[in-house]
Amino acid sequence: DTRFIQAAILACPEKSRVLIPKGRYLITSLFLKSDVNIEVAREAVLSASTERSSYPKFPALIESYDEKEEYNLGTWEGNPLPMFAGIITGSSVKNVTVYGEGIINGNGARDNWWHNPKVMNEAFRPRMFFINHCKNITLQGVKFCNSPSWTIHPYFSNELKFYNLIIENPEDSPNTDGLDPESCKDVEIAG
């Protein structure tokens, strides 16, 4: 269902929303768009595929357009390394809210993402929610479970709000931290 949901996100004009209604949706990576909100309704489940080949890969460092600096796109535990795009990903977007009472299930388990978790297999495991160089992002009310790796990972982003989230990962799951703001400014976490 990734293509259909992504098409809805991309087709929305500024200051609008995409409603993901009650139902189960199989997805890989969904990319946020500036000035578009996403509502994950009660009893809606975004269920992540565990097929690695279905996910886009972020290289570690890429050269900027001026060919003088590098842009750190992919990261693993603070190092610039190749990674799979997150289940929900934002790169250089602003003014986005992802909210609702629905569930985002990463389907992490010992027979897929958690098998040899510290070994890079094509790229490092995806986060459930990964944003990079974003501004004014709010995540509210959604439940995250069974994350492939870090659950919520904002990276080099500013003006972030995380409200009333539920994060459930098995206690023996590897690297499934709840919320890891890395190199971010103005972060508010409540509830």
Side-chain angles (χ1 to χ4, degrees), residues 97-165:
T97 299
V98 178
Y99 65 101
E101 298 178 60
I103 297 170
I104 303 174
N105 186 343
N107 291 310
R110 294 274 173 215
D111 64 346
N112 55 51
W113 295 115
W114 300 340
H115 179 73
N116 292 326
K118 295 284 189 170
V119 175
M120 185 173 72
N121 183 351
E122 296 179 48
F124 282 105
R125 296 174 286 144
R127 282 52 158 201
M128 294 282 288
F129 185 87
F130 176 74
I131 55 174
N132 185 358
H133 290 87
C134 294
K135 182 178 181 181
N136 192 27
I137 307 296
T138 301
L139 188 55
Q140 182 173 357
V142 180
K143 176 181 177 178
F144 293 88
C145 59
N146 304 311
S147 182
S149 69
W150 290 359
T151 306
I152 300 170
H153 184 200
Y155 190 60
F156 288 101
S157 297
N158 302 324
E159 299 176 34
L160 309 175
K161 298 168 190 75
F162 301 99
Y163 299 139
N164 301 317
L165 300 173

XYZ file of all heavy atoms in Angstrom, residues 97-165:
577
model
N 2.773 17.490 10.875
C 2.287 16.800 12.067
C 1.822 15.408 11.660
O 1.063 15.259 10.694
C 1.112 17.565 12.719
O 1.576 18.867 13.105
C 0.593 16.837 13.951
N 2.289 14.398 12.372
C 1.800 13.030 12.220
C 1.095 12.727 13.526
O 1.704 12.807 14.598
C 2.946 12.028 11.959
C 2.403 10.609 11.862
C 3.718 12.406 10.700
N -0.196 12.414 13.446
C -0.977 12.293 14.667
C -2.087 11.257 14.501
O -2.344 10.780 13.397
C -1.591 13.651 15.035
C -2.612 14.148 14.035
C -3.974 14.021 14.292
C -2.224 14.728 12.840
C -4.909 14.468 13.371
C -3.143 15.186 11.924
C -4.493 15.051 12.197
O -5.429 15.487 11.281
N -2.746 10.940 15.600
C -3.882 10.028 15.577
C -3.764 8.984 16.663
O -2.874 9.033 17.510
N -4.672 8.036 16.613
C -4.711 6.961 17.597
C -4.397 5.616 16.969
O -4.667 4.579 17.551
C -6.090 6.936 18.257
C -6.420 8.212 19.010
C -7.807 8.173 19.612
O -8.062 7.273 20.444
O -8.625 9.025 19.236
N -3.824 5.630 15.766
C -3.492 4.406 15.070
C -2.151 3.836 15.493
O -1.483 4.343 16.398
N -1.744 2.775 14.812
C -0.538 2.015 15.157
C 0.401 1.954 13.956
O -0.035 1.774 12.818
C -0.912 0.573 15.581
C -1.781 0.606 16.835
C 0.320 -0.289 15.785
C -2.390 -0.738 17.194
N 1.682 2.087 14.244
C 2.720 1.831 13.247
C 3.537 0.661 13.780
O 4.182 0.767 14.819
C 3.582 3.071 12.986
C 2.689 4.244 12.536
C 4.644 2.758 11.937
C 3.410 5.556 12.387
N 3.444 -0.476 13.096
C 4.085 -1.712 13.548
C 5.262 -2.025 12.633
O 5.085 -2.266 11.442
C 3.068 -2.855 13.523
C 3.605 -4.135 14.123
O 4.814 -4.308 14.298
N 2.719 -5.050 14.440
N 6.476 -2.004 13.196
C 7.683 -2.291 12.427
C 7.906 -3.759 12.145
O 8.770 -4.120 11.356
N 7.150 -4.645 12.806
C 7.242 -6.091 12.621
C 8.643 -6.651 12.866
O 9.015 -7.685 12.309
C 6.738 -6.506 11.235
C 5.249 -6.306 11.128
O 4.494 -6.740 11.994
N 4.804 -5.618 10.084
N 9.422 -5.963 13.703
C 10.731 -6.479 14.067
C 10.593 -7.775 14.848
O 9.741 -7.901 15.725
N 11.430 -8.759 14.499
C 11.423 -10.055 15.183
C 12.796 -10.701 14.979
O 13.602 -10.244 14.173
C 10.311 -10.951 14.636
N 13.050 -11.766 15.717
C 14.345 -12.450 15.654
C 14.617 -13.086 14.285
O 15.766 -13.303 13.920
C 14.423 -13.537 16.728
C 14.405 -12.976 18.123
C 15.784 -12.604 18.574
N 15.706 -11.914 19.856
C 16.502 -10.947 20.202
N 17.447 -10.536 19.398
N 16.376 -10.374 21.371
N 13.574 -13.380 13.518
C 13.800 -14.007 12.214
C 13.926 -12.999 11.073
O 14.073 -13.382 9.918
C 12.698 -15.027 11.907
C 11.319 -14.396 11.784
O 11.146 -13.233 12.194
O 10.414 -15.081 11.267
N 13.878 -11.700 11.392
C 14.068 -10.716 10.325
C 15.025 -9.613 10.781
O 16.216 -9.812 10.837
C 12.724 -10.179 9.807
C 11.828 -9.601 10.881
O 12.237 -8.757 11.675
N 10.574 -10.038 10.931
N 14.517 -8.444 11.115
C 15.367 -7.293 11.438
C 16.285 -7.540 12.636
O 17.378 -6.979 12.710
C 14.518 -6.053 11.714
C 13.747 -5.577 10.538
C 12.377 -5.550 10.418
C 14.245 -5.037 9.317
N 12.011 -5.029 9.203
C 13.146 -4.712 8.497
C 15.524 -4.805 8.823
C 13.282 -4.158 7.239
C 15.666 -4.253 7.555
C 14.551 -3.939 6.784
N 15.853 -8.347 13.602
C 16.646 -8.521 14.820
C 17.639 -9.679 14.731
O 18.329 -9.981 15.689
C 15.735 -8.717 16.027
C 14.807 -7.569 16.269
C 14.930 -6.289 15.816
C 13.611 -7.592 17.023
N 13.880 -5.517 16.245
C 13.048 -6.294 16.989
C 12.940 -8.581 17.735
C 11.859 -5.966 17.632
C 11.758 -8.262 18.371
C 11.231 -6.959 18.327
N 17.731 -10.353 13.579
C 18.710 -11.419 13.398
C 20.065 -10.765 13.096
O 20.186 -9.982 12.169
C 18.287 -12.336 12.243
C 19.252 -13.440 11.999
N 19.375 -14.515 12.849
C 20.170 -13.625 11.022
C 20.309 -15.317 12.402
N 20.810 -14.806 11.290
N 21.082 -11.069 13.879
C 22.400 -10.423 13.759
C 22.251 -8.903 13.675
O 22.645 -8.277 12.689
C 23.165 -10.944 12.539
C 23.575 -12.384 12.704
O 23.877 -12.840 13.799
N 23.580 -13.111 11.591
N 21.688 -8.294 14.702
C 21.295 -6.885 14.622
C 22.422 -5.877 14.454
O 22.201 -4.782 13.960
C 20.567 -6.653 15.942
C 21.134 -7.665 16.876
C 21.428 -8.863 16.031
N 23.638 -6.223 14.836
C 24.763 -5.283 14.723
C 25.542 -5.458 13.415
O 26.523 -4.766 13.175
C 25.714 -5.437 15.911
C 25.094 -5.070 17.235
C 24.997 -3.572 17.372
C 24.586 -3.205 18.791
N 24.708 -1.797 19.040
N 25.113 -6.392 12.585
C 25.783 -6.644 11.314
C 25.015 -5.937 10.206
O 23.803 -6.097 10.072
C 25.851 -8.167 11.025
C 26.438 -8.439 9.656
C 26.639 -8.872 12.112
N 25.730 -5.140 9.410
C 25.068 -4.463 8.296
C 24.716 -5.495 7.226
O 25.572 -6.216 6.739
C 25.969 -3.373 7.709
C 25.252 -2.571 6.638
S 26.177 -1.147 6.041
C 27.458 -1.940 5.100
N 23.438 -5.569 6.884
C 22.943 -6.481 5.864
C 22.320 -5.615 4.769
O 21.192 -5.168 4.905
C 21.923 -7.439 6.485
C 21.411 -8.470 5.509
O 21.666 -8.396 4.309
N 20.667 -9.439 6.025
N 23.061 -5.327 3.723
C 22.713 -4.389 2.642
C 22.838 -2.944 3.136
O 23.401 -2.105 2.472
C 21.320 -4.630 2.081
C 21.135 -5.964 1.405
C 19.741 -6.156 0.886
O 19.209 -5.253 0.218
O 19.179 -7.229 1.153
N 22.259 -2.635 4.270
C 22.359 -1.345 4.946
C 21.927 -1.616 6.388
O 21.448 -2.706 6.706
C 21.456 -0.303 4.291
N 22.096 -0.620 7.267
C 21.645 -0.826 8.645
C 20.126 -0.685 8.752
O 19.490 -0.027 7.933
C 22.364 0.131 9.602
C 23.763 -0.319 9.914
C 24.856 0.309 9.344
C 23.977 -1.403 10.755
C 26.153 -0.116 9.621
C 25.260 -1.844 11.045
C 26.351 -1.190 10.469
N 19.570 -1.318 9.764
C 18.124 -1.438 9.959
C 17.415 -0.079 9.978
O 17.948 0.896 10.480
C 17.832 -2.169 11.272
C 18.335 -3.598 11.291
C 18.178 -4.249 12.647
N 19.163 -3.719 13.578
C 18.926 -3.507 14.871
N 17.755 -3.764 15.389
N 19.871 -3.027 15.643
N 16.185 -0.025 9.465
C 15.451 1.246 9.447
C 14.910 1.627 10.821
O 14.667 0.771 11.668
C 14.288 0.965 8.489
C 14.064 -0.505 8.596
C 15.426 -1.111 8.841
N 14.735 2.921 11.022
C 14.042 3.419 12.209
C 12.548 3.437 11.879
O 12.162 3.440 10.719
C 14.464 4.862 12.534
C 15.790 5.046 13.212
C 16.888 4.372 12.538
N 18.195 4.948 12.884
C 19.234 4.778 12.130
N 19.148 4.102 11.013
N 20.395 5.260 12.475
N 11.735 3.509 12.904
C 10.295 3.626 12.662
C 9.963 5.025 12.147
O 9.164 5.183 11.241
C 9.511 3.357 13.943
C 9.626 1.953 14.459
S 8.599 0.805 13.569
C 7.013 1.279 14.163
N 10.580 6.036 12.764
C 10.335 7.430 12.397
C 11.693 8.112 12.364
O 12.333 8.256 13.397
C 9.411 8.078 13.440
C 8.997 9.484 13.107
C 7.885 9.720 12.314
C 9.706 10.570 13.598
C 7.489 11.019 12.010
C 9.325 11.867 13.304
C 8.211 12.092 12.510
N 12.142 8.480 11.174
C 13.454 9.103 11.018
C 13.298 10.417 10.266
O 12.734 10.439 9.169
C 14.404 8.183 10.253
C 15.747 8.801 9.983
C 16.672 8.942 11.009
C 16.082 9.245 8.721
C 17.919 9.517 10.770
C 17.320 9.825 8.472
C 18.245 9.962 9.497
N 13.768 11.499 10.881
C 13.780 12.789 10.194
C 15.195 13.351 10.228
O 15.916 13.182 11.208
C 12.763 13.791 10.781
C 12.969 13.998 12.280
C 11.333 13.344 10.475
C 12.104 15.084 12.891
N 15.576 14.013 9.141
C 16.919 14.544 8.985
C 16.824 15.959 8.414
O 16.205 16.167 7.375
C 17.694 13.632 8.033
C 19.149 14.011 7.893
O 19.619 14.982 8.471
N 19.862 13.233 7.104
N 17.402 16.936 9.122
C 17.380 18.338 8.698
C 15.948 18.845 8.487
O 15.635 19.452 7.466
C 18.242 18.543 7.442
C 19.701 18.407 7.734
N 20.344 17.188 7.712
C 20.638 19.323 8.075
C 21.623 17.371 8.006
N 21.832 18.649 8.247
N 15.091 18.586 9.446
C 13.696 19.006 9.382
C 13.419 20.096 10.414
O 14.193 20.271 11.356
C 12.763 17.820 9.623
S 12.852 16.581 8.305
N 12.300 20.790 10.254
C 11.951 21.881 11.162
C 10.445 21.897 11.391
O 9.662 21.701 10.456
C 12.397 23.217 10.557
C 12.133 24.410 11.438
C 12.652 25.679 10.797
C 12.392 26.865 11.707
N 12.870 28.118 11.101
N 10.072 22.142 12.647
C 8.672 22.238 13.056
C 7.900 20.949 12.738
O 6.965 20.940 11.941
C 7.988 23.462 12.432
C 6.642 23.716 13.087
O 6.408 23.362 14.241
N 5.736 24.329 12.342
N 8.316 19.894 13.388
C 7.700 18.577 13.211
C 7.044 18.176 14.530
O 7.661 18.272 15.596
C 8.746 17.515 12.815
C 9.564 17.954 11.594
C 8.086 16.150 12.597
C 8.803 18.111 10.313
N 5.792 17.710 14.450
C 5.070 17.234 15.633
C 4.644 15.795 15.398
O 4.128 15.454 14.331
C 3.824 18.107 15.903
O 4.248 19.453 16.108
C 3.068 17.613 17.127
N 4.851 14.967 16.414
C 4.408 13.575 16.403
C 3.549 13.413 17.647
O 4.034 13.635 18.765
C 5.632 12.658 16.433
C 5.453 11.170 16.245
C 4.724 10.852 14.954
C 6.805 10.484 16.248
N 2.262 13.040 17.456
C 1.340 13.043 18.589
C 0.368 11.870 18.556
O -0.291 11.610 17.545
C 0.538 14.345 18.577
C -0.421 14.469 19.738
C -1.082 15.843 19.783
O -0.788 16.725 18.989
N -1.982 16.008 20.714
N 0.305 11.156 19.680
C -0.740 10.177 19.924
C -0.561 8.805 19.314
O -1.232 7.864 19.706
N 0.306 8.652 18.353
C 0.454 7.399 17.614
C 1.160 6.356 18.478
O 1.984 6.683 19.321
C 1.252 7.654 16.308
C 1.432 6.382 15.507
C 0.569 8.720 15.464
N 0.821 5.092 18.244
C 1.500 3.981 18.924
C 2.492 3.352 17.956
O 2.161 3.058 16.805
C 0.493 2.920 19.375
C 1.140 1.697 20.010
C 0.103 0.667 20.424
C 0.773 -0.572 20.985
N -0.232 -1.558 21.440
N 3.723 3.141 18.439
C 4.769 2.474 17.673
C 5.089 1.159 18.371
O 5.230 1.124 19.591
C 6.040 3.324 17.638
C 5.906 4.603 16.860
C 5.452 5.755 17.473
C 6.233 4.643 15.519
C 5.337 6.938 16.765
C 6.122 5.814 14.802
C 5.668 6.963 15.421
N 5.251 0.080 17.601
C 5.617 -1.189 18.225
C 6.517 -2.011 17.307
O 6.500 -1.846 16.094
C 4.372 -1.985 18.628
S 3.257 -2.388 17.283
N 7.307 -2.871 17.925
C 8.186 -3.822 17.228
C 9.106 -3.135 16.218
O 9.210 -3.545 15.067
C 7.356 -4.919 16.559
C 6.479 -5.625 17.563
O 6.932 -6.032 18.620
N 5.192 -5.735 17.253
N 9.793 -2.127 16.678
C 10.675 -1.352 15.801
C 11.848 -2.189 15.299
O 12.431 -2.955 16.063
C 11.207 -0.134 16.562
O 12.020 0.638 15.723
N 12.236 -2.037 14.028
C 13.415 -2.734 13.527
C 14.698 -2.284 14.236
O 15.618 -3.070 14.416
C 13.469 -2.345 12.048
C 12.067 -1.995 11.706
C 11.504 -1.362 12.946
N 14.791 -1.007 14.610
C 15.930 -0.481 15.369
C 15.413 0.689 16.201
O 14.324 0.584 16.746
C 17.085 -0.089 14.448
O 16.769 1.035 13.657
N 16.154 1.800 16.302
C 15.670 2.918 17.093
C 14.259 3.276 16.639
O 13.979 3.330 15.444
C 16.579 4.119 16.934
C 17.929 3.971 17.564
C 18.402 2.902 18.260
C 18.981 4.938 17.544
N 19.690 3.137 18.685
C 20.064 4.390 18.248
C 19.108 6.206 17.001
C 21.267 5.063 18.431
C 20.307 6.884 17.171
C 21.366 6.320 17.885
N 13.392 3.538 17.586
C 12.000 3.779 17.230
C 11.814 5.165 16.621
O 11.358 5.292 15.489
C 11.090 3.590 18.460
O 11.333 2.284 19.010
C 9.633 3.694 18.077
N 12.155 6.207 17.346
C 12.003 7.577 16.850
C 13.378 8.236 16.876
O 13.997 8.345 17.932
C 10.991 8.365 17.701
C 9.636 7.667 17.652
C 10.884 9.809 17.218
C 8.630 8.212 18.646
N 13.842 8.660 15.701
C 15.205 9.192 15.595
C 15.209 10.492 14.796
O 15.386 10.491 13.580
C 16.101 8.157 14.926
C 17.533 8.574 14.859
N 18.414 8.013 13.974
C 18.264 9.491 15.555
C 19.609 8.551 14.115
N 19.535 9.461 15.070
N 15.038 11.633 15.489
C 15.238 12.910 14.812
C 16.723 13.227 14.763
O 17.440 13.024 15.735
C 14.475 13.899 15.696
C 14.424 13.262 17.035
C 14.523 11.780 16.838
N 17.180 13.735 13.620
C 18.603 13.915 13.364
C 18.821 15.293 12.746
O 18.186 15.632 11.747
C 19.022 12.796 12.401
C 20.486 12.602 12.157
C 21.348 12.298 13.201
C 20.988 12.660 10.874
C 22.690 12.069 12.958
C 22.334 12.429 10.622
C 23.181 12.138 11.669
O 24.519 11.901 11.425
N 19.662 16.114 13.370
C 19.941 17.460 12.880
C 18.660 18.214 12.528
O 18.537 18.797 11.450
C 20.888 17.430 11.666
C 22.295 17.072 12.033
C 22.780 15.797 11.827
C 23.141 18.024 12.598
C 24.081 15.464 12.178
C 24.447 17.694 12.951
C 24.915 16.409 12.740
N 17.689 18.188 13.441
C 16.397 18.825 13.200
C 16.058 19.765 14.351
O 16.598 19.626 15.449
C 15.313 17.761 13.037
O 15.583 16.958 11.891
N 15.144 20.711 14.103
C 14.809 21.746 15.082
C 13.293 21.904 15.222
O 12.544 21.567 14.302
C 15.390 23.098 14.649
C 16.884 23.036 14.488
O 17.578 22.354 15.235
N 17.395 23.747 13.499
N 12.909 22.456 16.381
C 11.496 22.728 16.694
C 10.661 21.447 16.576
O 9.787 21.321 15.730
C 10.938 23.828 15.789
C 11.659 25.153 15.951
C 11.158 26.204 14.971
O 9.954 26.196 14.640
O 11.992 27.016 14.542
N 10.944 20.508 17.471
C 10.297 19.200 17.450
C 9.421 19.024 18.672
O 9.804 19.399 19.777
C 11.369 18.104 17.420
C 12.452 18.244 16.348
C 13.498 17.157 16.510
C 11.850 18.221 14.962
N 8.248 18.401 18.458
C 7.321 18.142 19.549
C 6.880 16.684 19.477
O 6.424 16.215 18.430
C 6.120 19.074 19.442
C 6.491 20.545 19.554
C 5.306 21.426 19.149
C 5.736 22.860 19.019
N 6.514 23.115 17.800
N 7.016 16.007 20.618
C 6.610 14.601 20.724
C 5.639 14.496 21.897
O 6.055 14.639 23.047
C 7.836 13.711 20.935
C 8.840 13.816 19.822
C 9.966 14.617 19.963
C 8.653 13.147 18.633
C 10.893 14.741 18.948
C 9.575 13.256 17.595
C 10.694 14.062 17.755
N 4.355 14.263 21.608
C 3.326 14.289 22.637
C 2.542 12.976 22.691
O 2.092 12.463 21.659
C 2.314 15.409 22.366
C 2.887 16.805 22.350
C 2.466 17.718 21.394
C 3.827 17.225 23.272
C 2.959 19.016 21.371
C 4.337 18.510 23.257
C 3.897 19.404 22.302
O 4.395 20.682 22.280
N 2.349 12.472 23.905
C 1.438 11.353 24.173
C 1.652 10.155 23.249
O 0.701 9.573 22.744
C -0.017 11.827 24.097
C -0.283 12.922 25.095
O 0.151 12.850 26.238
N -0.972 13.962 24.665
N 2.893 9.780 23.065
C 3.209 8.631 22.219
C 3.244 7.362 23.048
O 3.545 7.388 24.240
C 4.562 8.835 21.551
C 4.682 10.064 20.661
C 6.117 10.238 20.188
C 3.732 9.970 19.485
